Amino acid sequence: MFPDYYFFIILLIVGYVVGTFFERRHFRSLEQRERASINLPMVCAKTLPFAPDKAEAVAVVSGSAVISVDYFKRFLAWLKNFFGGRIKSYETLLDRARREALLRMKEQVPDADYIVNVRIETASISKSKKKNGVSCVEAVAYGTAVRLRKDV
Amino acid sequence: MKYTPRLPETNVNVSPGSPIKDLLLMLAAASAIVVGIYVALGFAVDKIAPHISYETELAIGGFLGKHPILKNASPAPEAIQKLAETIRTRSTDIPFPVTISIREDPQVNAFAVPGGQIVLTTGILDAIESENELAFILGHELGHIAHRDHLRGMGRGLVLLTLSSLVLDAGDSIGGSLGNMVVLTELTFTRRQETLADEAGQDALMSVFGHITGAEQVFSHFAKRAETNYLTRFALSHPETQSRIQHLRNRAKVEGFPAGPLTPLNPEPQLSV
């Protein structure tokens, strides 16, 4: 029985240490890139915030990101199943996925002036019926990128 | 007025707080619940065990017979079986015959299993020097069987096993190996149960030999075992053993049990299986 427990504890520790490291690094990168792309506005509005004839080029852009849970987070979430409450360990996961997807969408069209009608979808990717199947979350962000004519 | 885009200062989508603290809190709560259930079910088992019929006990015994610890034990020599039967008929009201098995194990140990099975280790057979000691050990274990102590122990073991397999979510690996441990290690009894079993051992000595000499010698073997094992060295001066011996002495005085000579193991060669 002891090797089973050791294995479990090692997985927990590895999950926590490595998972926290990657998560912090990812959050730093997100913040940096968000700062860099802050001047490209994204709006959820369906209507254009400018006159239609000002548009020079239009394109559909999308960005998606898949983030997986580490063992530690999964164990925490599993425990939360008993007691209920916010699954904090998955909150960071979804936050990272959404922000990464939005950033990837933006980074495709650095010369756009607007991205309008922005939407975000999330989906869980866990095909396995087994309990130990890897569960990860995908966020897809899409919208319409618009470049305005500069001469008018 | 010109709009200047800004990043939010805090991330509202991520709750603050340490995940480690979260984990520890939940683990503590979960273990408290499990321990609570275990204690409650343990009490229930203690209440139910004495009411289990002997037929049911025999059925449980047949089921347990497949356990490796019992399967690998060999039947005891005729002399030991006969001694056990004599004790059972003379000093207990157990309605079914008991079988004695011998297990290849250097540890000084003996235990009873539901269904009238008593297992002696080769270690305990090597340690004892007289028929009286053997009779006391058999009487003690028969006492446990008569008092249904082993059913209680096994019931608690089952509760622990069920809980652990539920909680640990472990199919075979953890559950199986825990089960192996649980069936026998959970057969530890309370002080009161041990005292009553000791009294049964003393009654057994009286019924077979007409005197109670031999009981204290048995305890000395357990003390010797403790001496060789640093983990249990404390047992040497263990007040529990001392108080058990004292209790038997007092009881002998009150009941007027006489002392007498030790009978050598007979026939000697059969015992070193």
Side-chain angles (χ1 to χ4, degrees):
Chain A
M1 63 177 274
F2 289 111
D4 290 338
Y5 281 116
Y6 283 140
F7 195 54
F8 168 70
I9 289 166
I10 287 168
L11 279 179
L12 268 193
I13 293 172
V14 168
Y16 180 71
V17 173
V18 180
T20 309
F21 172 75
F22 280 124
E23 187 170 283
R24 289 209 177 129
R25 204 173 65 168
H26 191 200
F27 272 127
R28 273 199 301 275
S29 139
L30 285 172
E31 220 180 294
Q32 209 182 342
R33 286 151 64 208
E34 276 167 352
R35 225 173 275 288
S37 67
I38 201 164
N39 286 315
L40 169 55
M42 298 180 288
V43 287
C44 302
K46 284 183 185 171
T47 51
L48 299 175
F50 48 80
D53 60 341
K54 281 181 87 177
E56 180 189 60
V58 175
V60 168
V61 281
S62 70
S64 93
V66 178
I67 313 274
S68 176
V69 271
D70 57 58
Y71 198 85
F72 179 81
K73 282 189 192 307
R74 194 160 62 204
F75 182 69
L76 261 186
W78 179 77
L79 265 180
K80 269 281 184 221
N81 274 340
F82 291 110
F83 300 105
R86 283 174 292 178
I87 303 185
K88 289 184 202 165
S89 61
Y90 280 7
E91 286 178 352
T92 53
L93 206 71
L94 281 159
D95 190 55
R96 282 161 66 196
R98 280 193 303 259
R99 287 164 69 183
E100 181 70 39
L102 284 173
L103 276 173
R104 286 181 181 179
M105 181 184 74
K106 273 184 157 185
E107 283 160 1
Q108 280 182 61
V109 280
D111 56 338
D113 294 302
Y114 279 102
I115 303 179
V116 295
N117 201 10
V118 171
R119 299 288 182 265
I120 302 176
E121 316 247 334
T122 49
S124 79
I125 300 186
S126 52
K127 280 275 187 289
S128 170
K129 282 267 191 310
K130 277 187 293 176
K131 277 176 188 160
N132 286 333
V134 179
S135 50
C136 27
V137 65
E138 184 197 22
V140 187
Y142 56 89
T144 309
V146 182
R147 194 171 68 221
L148 300 180
R149 271 188 294 147
K150 296 286 179 287
D151 53 328
V152 197
Chain B
M1 197 176 77
K2 190 172 161 26
Y3 166 71
T4 37
R6 255 198 317 245
L7 288 180
E9 266 156 36
T10 52
N11 188 347
V12 291
N13 290 324
V14 174
S15 309
S18 152
I20 297 273
K21 191 182 146 202
D22 231 32
L23 174 78
L24 292 180
L25 266 177
M26 283 194 287
L27 280 182
S31 9
I33 290 168
V34 169
V35 168
I37 293 173
Y38 174 65
V39 169
L41 284 179
F43 274 119
V45 163
D46 276 358
K47 286 267 172 262
I48 293 165
H51 303 292
I52 292 175
S53 71
Y54 283 113
E55 289 79 31
T56 315
E57 180 178 344
L58 282 175
I60 297 173
F63 173 70
L64 282 179
K66 298 187 183 78
H67 193 276
I69 287 186
L70 296 179
K71 243 170 125 182
N72 297 341
S74 50
E78 193 71 9
I80 300 183
Q81 298 281 9
K82 259 191 192 151
L83 182 60
E85 273 303 294
T86 311
I87 295 167
R88 177 182 75 84
T89 47
R90 283 193 200 166
S91 71
T92 74
D93 48 9
I94 302 168
F96 49 80
V98 290
T99 27
I100 318 295
S101 311
I102 292 171
R103 182 178 149 72
E104 197 71 43
D105 185 350
Q107 286 205 332
V108 181
N109 201 4
F111 51 87
V113 183
Q117 175 124 246
I118 293 174
V119 180
L120 303 172
T121 60
T122 45
I124 205 168
L125 288 177
D126 288 340
I128 56 175
E129 282 146 12
S130 66
E131 196 108 3
N132 308 61
E133 291 162 70
L134 183 60
F136 179 79
I137 292 163
L138 291 174
H140 177 100
E141 297 305 331
L142 283 166
H144 278 314
I145 293 180
H147 303 141
R148 323 305 294 273
D149 292 340
H150 56 309
L151 281 178
R152 290 189 186 109
M154 202 198 65
R156 276 200 302 273
L158 274 179
V159 170
L160 185 65
L161 179 61
T162 317
L163 275 182
S164 66
S165 54
L166 273 180
V167 171
L168 297 173
D169 203 26
D172 299 324
S173 50
I174 298 180
S177 42
L178 254 184
N180 279 350
M181 280 180 4
V182 156
V183 172
L184 297 163
T185 52
E186 265 296 300
L187 292 173
T188 47
F189 302 122
T190 63
R191 203 170 163 153
R192 168 99 189 124
Q193 287 171 320
E194 288 301 340
T195 306
L196 287 175
D198 283 345
E199 290 181 3
Q202 208 172 30
D203 291 341
L205 284 176
M206 274 306 287
S207 71
V208 177
F209 303 100
H211 63 79
I212 49 108
T213 309
E216 288 181 31
Q217 279 80 350
V218 173
F219 287 112
S220 72
H221 301 315
F222 284 97
K224 260 186 225 142
R225 175 186 69 168
E227 207 173 354
T228 53
N229 183 346
Y230 72 97
L231 273 177
T232 49
R233 192 173 289 161
F234 78 99
L236 197 59
S237 55
H238 205 244
E240 202 147 324
T241 311
Q242 286 307 315
S243 77
R244 278 169 71 181
I245 294 174
Q246 198 52 51
H247 175 79
L248 287 182
R249 281 183 191 161
N250 292 343
R251 184 167 181 258
K253 224 179 262 171
V254 172
E255 301 276 339
F257 292 154
L262 290 174
T263 314
L265 280 174
N266 185 37
E268 181 95 41
Q270 280 194 15
L271 289 175
S272 43
V273 186

